[in-house]
Amino acid sequence: MEIPTLFAYFIEHDPVGYAVPFFIVFILIELFLDAYEKKNWYEKKEAWASLAMGVGSVFVNLFSKIIYFIVFSWIYENYRLFEIDLTKAWAWLFLFFADDFSFYWHHRSSHQVRLLWASHSNHHSSTSYNLAIALRQSWTEFLYKYLFWLWLPFIGFHPIAIFTLIAISLIYQFFLHTQAVKKMGFLEYFFNTPSHHRVHHATNIAYLDKNHAGILIIWDKLFGTFAEEKEQPIYGLTKNIETHNPLKIAFAEHKQIWKDLKKTEKWTDRLKYLFYPPGWSHDGSSLTTKDLQSNTKK
């Protein structure tokens, strides 16, 4: 497909586009519940900032999908190892697990590599937690996100199928950003739920860098990053950025990295500021999640 055709294809066929009206309806329902029950889930400036971030991400992500679709298609057409028949149910089941596995490692890496965290952190920057926060999406995450799915066209999955599963996962995750739904019984054992995702967005030390799941919570349980919601979550960042300006939200952590890079003249330290976990510092003036949690256990 030529690029204009690809733009038209994604605008017409992207499942997220069809889901947007439902997003709006559910946000309005949650707003009504919030006002009726006086829950204080919403803070007006935070909500508007999230919506602005969401609008910006629509355009950025559309462009990035085109670029990566071209790359995925080139790999699929020239280097795929197998011919996977997508008329078979097993192929879609395998792709579902493969997509969710890829998302887990993308998401976990976005919390454990500071350069990636700079792109992802804006999604965690609100001190409120509601469905509008789901729309607070990164404007720079596209630079690396889809690299975690590159293995799928290599083994023989068509790019359209891959991007369809990515979109379905994104739609599912929208509904996790709510305090209106408590625990969901036996589903908590297998699926990512609002309860599990509240933990992920919390700044409580025990909750930091936990529950990176997309749809299935099994990866967190398998790889040791699971935490159950017990104490009340406190939302935001460990050091909040105190702004509702979308541009400042989008690039706040990039700006902080630049400041940290100027603190040292050693290139090894500068590389560590980029690729070590958030909180690492050459002089010990700040702490990583691992440090914070180790200190709590003492």
Side-chain angles (χ1 to χ4, degrees), residues 144-158:
Y144 70 90
K145 175 179 178 179
Y146 296 109
L147 297 176
F148 289 84
W149 280 262
L150 270 181
W151 65 287
L152 294 177
F154 271 116
I155 65 174
F157 282 105
H158 195 282

Side-chain angles (χ1 to χ4, degrees), residues 248-259:
K248 290 182 178 180
I249 293 171
F251 299 104
E253 185 63 14
H254 297 89
K255 182 179 179 181
Q256 187 57 50
I257 287 177
W258 179 247
K259 289 180 179 179

Side-chain angles (χ1 to χ4, degrees), residues 47-98:
W48 280 115
S50 296
L51 293 174
M53 295 294 297
V55 171
S57 72
V58 167
F59 296 100
V60 171
N61 287 326
L62 179 59
F63 174 77
S64 65
K65 284 179 182 178
I66 300 304
I67 300 302
Y68 276 100
F69 186 87
I70 292 170
V71 174
F72 279 33
S73 297
W74 175 73
I75 294 171
Y76 177 80
E77 294 296 337
N78 296 284
Y79 296 103
R80 67 179 183 268
L81 299 176
F82 306 103
E83 293 279 351
I84 296 178
D85 184 0
L86 289 172
T87 65
K88 305 296 184 182
W90 70 262
W92 285 98
L93 183 63
F94 183 92
L95 182 57
F96 168 76
F97 280 96

Side-chain angles (χ1 to χ4, degrees), residues 30 41-43 47 50 126 128-134 177-179:
E30 190 179 55
W41 293 332
Y42 278 81
E43 197 281 321
S50 296
S126 175
S128 302
Y129 189 76
N130 49 59
L131 291 174
I133 300 306
H177 296 81
T178 183
Q179 298 182 64

